[in-house]
Amino acid sequence: MKTITIQTEFIKLQDLLKYANLVASGGEAKERIQQGEVTVNGEVCTMRGKKIRPGDDVCFAGEHYAAAYAN
């Protein structure tokens, strides 16, 4: 599992994909999410504004990612 460090309380799912350089643009993030290519905590998530907090497991393209607060 790869860790994505965030500075805020949460990060929106589409922003996490962009911030982690998993997609080239916000438009691509929107398409991938709406096509059901992303899971959050084991369930397909089609809400691009889903709030991702530390402890959530995001899976995209076979890789798992987790948000974590900066120390």
Side-chain angles (χ1 to χ4, degrees):
M1 181 175 295
K2 298 179 182 178
T3 302
I4 308 300
T5 303
I6 60 174
Q7 306 291 326
T8 57
E9 180 182 349
F10 63 86
I11 186 169
K12 291 182 182 177
L13 180 57
Q14 70 178 10
D15 295 335
L16 182 136
L17 296 181
K18 290 188 304 186
Y19 182 69
N21 292 318
L22 303 176
V23 294
S25 68
E28 182 183 353
K30 177 182 174 180
E31 284 183 30
R32 299 286 188 118
I33 293 166
Q34 290 180 336
Q35 291 175 3
E37 296 181 32
V38 181
T39 64
V40 177
N41 298 324
E43 296 183 17
V44 173
C45 181
T46 57
M47 300 181 304
R48 66 182 201 250
K50 170 84 173 157
K51 294 177 181 175
I52 305 300
R53 301 175 193 279
D56 288 336
D57 174 32
V58 176
C59 184
F60 176 72
E63 294 286 334
H64 289 265
Y65 302 89
Y69 296 128
N71 291 334

